Amino acid sequence: MKRLTLTLAVLAAACSSSDKPEITVFIAAPASVALGGTTQLVFNATAGATLTIDQGVGDVTGKTTVTVTPTADTTYTLTATKGGKTSTRTAAVSVTASPSAAFRITGPAATVAGVPVDFTIAAVDTAGAVNPNYRGTVQFVSDDEQGTMSGNLAFSAADSGQKTVSATFRTAGPRLFVVQDTSVATAQGIAQVRVAAADASQLVVSGVPLTAVAGDQLAVTVTARDAFGNVADGFTGTVTFTSSDPAASLPADFTFTAGDKGSHSFSVMLSTAGNATVTVSSASLTPGSGQVNVKHGVTNLSVAFAGAEAWAGSPATATVTAQDKFGNRVTNYTGTVAFTSSDAAASVPANVTFAAADNGQVAVNVTFNTIGAQTFTATDTAAASVTGSGSQTVHGLVYTNPATGGKVRLVANATSSSSVVQLDLVSNTSLFPLTAGTNDTVRNGAFAAGMNLPLDTTKVGPDTALLVTTPPTTVPASSAVLNLGTGTQAKGAAIANGVLYSGISQKRVDPSAGPGANNQRGDVAVRPFPGAASFYYSVRLKLTPGAAPGTVFDGQALATNLKFHAAVRDRSGSDVFSGTTDFAIGKLEVK
């Protein structure tokens, strides 16, 4: 029983299988087409079967071929139906995109740096017609290294062979824009665009050397550039120069013209040693600058005093500096310098050799002794051209002897100088007629002399010895009028309260010493100056350093000065000579 059932099932299955429609052929000819091309689907099936093909083809009953135009790789399925039973079979068609022979680029002929521009890219065939079936991928390149191009771009069916892309150029000049198929190197297109510079945004200084010598004329170029470094050849602004070197010689403000095309050359001179910066600026633009290390120029010497004035007999400090003509110190100078002065009486220092530790500068002292404008000069002993001078107005004492007249005169001793004057008080008339007789009977003549002389104590002071009683040995020679003896000296001098006090007196002796004893301290016959027996005493006054020019005392003005007193007295204490009537006083000044 089981065997009979199985046999019937097999027979039923065999009968059912033989009733299915049969598809004997289903192929695509050709099986591969270019995009946009057609192919034939060829098929054959059991007679009487209904035939359909998918992918939009539809019912093909009664046909053996159908033409299709696939837009992409496509697998078609043929279905045969008969007696409620179906059979299927497939055929595949591969589609290759249509290649482009070249690309046509349409866009602007000119643009401005930094401004995006659009280009239309068209894939064309060998005849130059747009190929709407192009499905390739293109890349974009340019000779503008600063430019921004679109990334790789794939064409789709919707593009119909054309696409619009944007590019930004930043380097001025003629620039190339290239489109190239990523798979076919020969398929490309080229366009040229002239890129103009954008508006100026910065100034650039060029031509500044790394080092220069003070005083060199430096040729520097100032260029206006846009934000991308292009020369802004349309710049017509005004530029201003400044420098960290306060002694720099800089161009005046300059306004660019169209003819400058954004660049102009200038001359700059730097004078101060060290690192210096030259800066150029213009409204709203970023300034430009250049730095140079300035070296000192040819070595010379400079002599400088702390002030313009000096005083005779007092040391003045001079600073001697090795430097160039712009005042830059030559710190490595090690020369030997000798000193001279226009003042033949000056005391100048010995030669000085600069040491490395001096850094090109030493200080020396010079003492001038001649009134007026004087110079002090330093000269390199090995190179006479390396020299320099400093000047001083030298102040000192000048005494003008009184005019002819007076019974007693105050005259300048020949040893006087501009820093120390010795003033000799001398007789200008003879007292001999007043001394006739014996020593015991004559009581007239000169026994004491002195004076209170008002003077400006801001200008003079006492010398080491204010009062001198030794007769001068210079011509004309004199001898002492008053014999002071060898004991305690009756003499004295001082400056107090603006008055010079001075005086001397002989000493009296005891008459009991015997006849003629008084003669040891007696009167003498005074003789006129010059000559013997004319000298009373001297005062020595020294210039005060820093004293302002002006009068110390003036004999012409003493008549009304209550502080002035002067007299020569006899033994009895009576004035033989006194006041301005008998005393001739000159004028002492600081000049």
Side-chain angles (χ1 to χ4, degrees):
M1 188 67 176
K2 290 183 179 179
R3 180 179 299 213
L4 176 61
T5 301
L6 179 59
T7 301
L8 290 175
V10 172
L11 289 175
C15 291
S16 175
S17 175
S18 63
D19 289 340
K20 284 182 64 174
E22 182 182 2
I23 301 173
T24 57
V25 175
F26 185 43
I27 61 172
S32 178
V33 297
L35 182 64
T38 61
T39 185
Q40 296 290 316
L41 296 179
V42 181
F43 48 90
N44 190 25
T46 302
T50 300
L51 303 179
T52 59
I53 299 176
D54 63 358
Q55 304 295 341
V57 177
D59 188 357
V60 291
T61 304
K63 298 179 180 179
T64 58
T65 64
V66 65
T67 301
V68 294
T69 308
T71 59
D73 291 350
T74 305
T75 298
Y76 294 91
T77 301
L78 173 65
T79 302
T81 304
K82 186 177 182 180
K85 296 179 172 59
T86 62
S87 297
T88 61
R89 192 165 177 175
T90 61
V93 179
S94 66
V95 180
T96 58
S98 177
S100 177
F103 296 95
R104 182 170 59 242
I105 304 173
T106 304
T111 186
V112 175
V115 177
V117 292
D118 290 338
F119 293 95
T120 298
I121 312 301
V124 296
D125 58 22
T126 55
V130 175
N131 178 5
N133 295 319
Y134 177 68
R135 300 292 186 274
T137 298
V138 295
Q139 61 185 0
F140 304 94
V141 293
S142 172
D143 59 350
D144 184 354
E145 294 183 356
Q146 297 188 88
T148 301
M149 304 292 118
S150 175
N152 288 3
L153 195 64
F155 280 65
S156 66
D159 295 323
S160 298
Q162 294 190 114
K163 289 185 77 70
T164 298
V165 296
S166 178
T168 302
F169 298 91
R170 295 183 175 86
T171 304
R175 295 288 158 246
L176 295 178
F177 180 67
V178 180
V179 181
Q180 187 177 51
D181 189 296
T182 58
S183 299
V184 183
T186 57
Q188 61 180 222
I190 300 175
Q192 189 177 71
V193 182
R194 179 162 293 277
V195 181
D199 291 339
S201 66
Q202 59 184 319
L203 295 174
V204 176
V205 178
S206 59
V208 179
L210 294 177
T211 61
V213 174
D216 284 352
Q217 293 291 334
L218 307 181
V220 301
T221 300
V222 178
T223 304
R225 295 186 180 274
D226 64 14
F228 313 108
N230 303 303
V231 176
D233 50 13
F235 176 69
T236 55
T238 299
V239 297
T240 300
F241 287 80
T242 57
S243 176
S244 60
D245 179 357
S249 177
L250 303 172
D253 289 0
F254 179 81
T255 300
F256 278 62
T257 66
D260 291 316
K261 297 188 180 301
S263 186
H264 195 89
S265 293
F266 301 89
S267 181
V268 172
M269 186 179 75
L270 300 175
S271 302
T272 305
N275 290 327
T277 301
V278 177
T279 302
V280 186
S281 57
S282 183
S284 74
L285 301 188
T286 300
S289 63
Q291 189 176 75
V292 56
N293 182 259
V294 181
K295 308 293 185 182
H296 65 74
V298 176
T299 301
N300 213 332
L301 296 177
S302 167
V303 177
F305 292 90
E309 300 176 307
W311 284 262
S314 297
T317 300
T319 301
V320 183
T321 306
Q323 61 185 39
D324 64 15
K325 66 179 181 179
F326 300 104
N328 299 305
R329 190 188 300 187
V330 183
T331 56
N332 60 350
Y333 177 73
T334 54
T336 298
V337 174
F339 303 96
T340 57
S341 175
S342 60
D343 180 358
S347 175
V348 298
N351 291 2
V352 171
T353 298
F354 283 62
D358 293 326
N359 290 318
Q361 188 176 80
V362 297
V364 296
N365 288 331
V366 55
T367 301
F368 296 100
N369 288 299
T370 303
I371 297 171
Q374 304 294 345
T375 58
F376 178 61
T377 302
T379 304
D380 189 299
T381 57
S385 62
V386 179
T387 185
S389 296
S391 61
Q392 292 274 269
T393 297
V394 182
H395 300 296
L397 295 172
V398 176
Y399 183 73
T400 305
N401 285 333
T404 302
K407 296 176 181 178
V408 178
R409 293 171 62 79
L410 187 65
V411 297
N413 188 276
T415 60
S416 298
S417 68
S418 53
S419 59
V420 177
V421 295
Q422 177 172 317
L423 304 177
D424 299 334
L425 190 66
V426 297
S427 174
N428 198 38
T429 188
S430 174
L431 292 181
F432 181 74
L434 301 177
T435 60
T438 68
N439 293 327
D440 294 329
T441 60
V442 175
R443 291 294 179 266
N444 292 315
F447 188 79
M451 62 179 176
N452 301 341
L453 178 61
L455 46 71
D456 187 343
T457 56
T458 67
K459 302 184 187 306
V460 295
D463 191 26
T464 304
L466 175 59
L467 182 70
V468 179
T469 58
T470 302
T473 58
T474 56
V475 178
S478 298
S479 60
V481 172
L482 304 176
N483 185 355
L484 303 181
T486 58
T488 302
Q489 302 292 293
K491 62 181 180 179
I495 298 176
N497 300 319
V499 178
L500 166 61
Y501 300 94
S502 62
I504 63 173
S505 175
Q506 295 184 110
K507 294 182 178 179
R508 295 184 183 278
V509 297
D510 185 355
S512 63
N518 287 349
N519 193 43
Q520 297 178 19
R521 299 290 184 268
D523 298 327
V524 296
V526 179
R527 296 288 185 255
F529 179 83
S534 62
F535 175 76
Y536 292 108
Y537 62 87
S538 299
V539 291
R540 288 178 64 85
L541 298 174
K542 184 175 182 179
L543 174 68
T544 300
T551 302
V552 179
F553 62 81
D554 184 0
Q556 296 296 314
L558 294 176
T560 59
N561 194 317
L562 297 180
K563 293 183 179 181
F564 175 69
H565 301 283
V568 174
R569 293 179 176 174
D570 62 14
R571 285 188 183 184
S572 63
S574 301
D575 290 347
V576 179
F577 308 130
S578 65
T580 56
T581 303
D582 296 328
F583 277 69
I585 308 295
K587 185 177 184 180
L588 180 62
E589 301 171 272
V590 176
K591 288 189 175 181

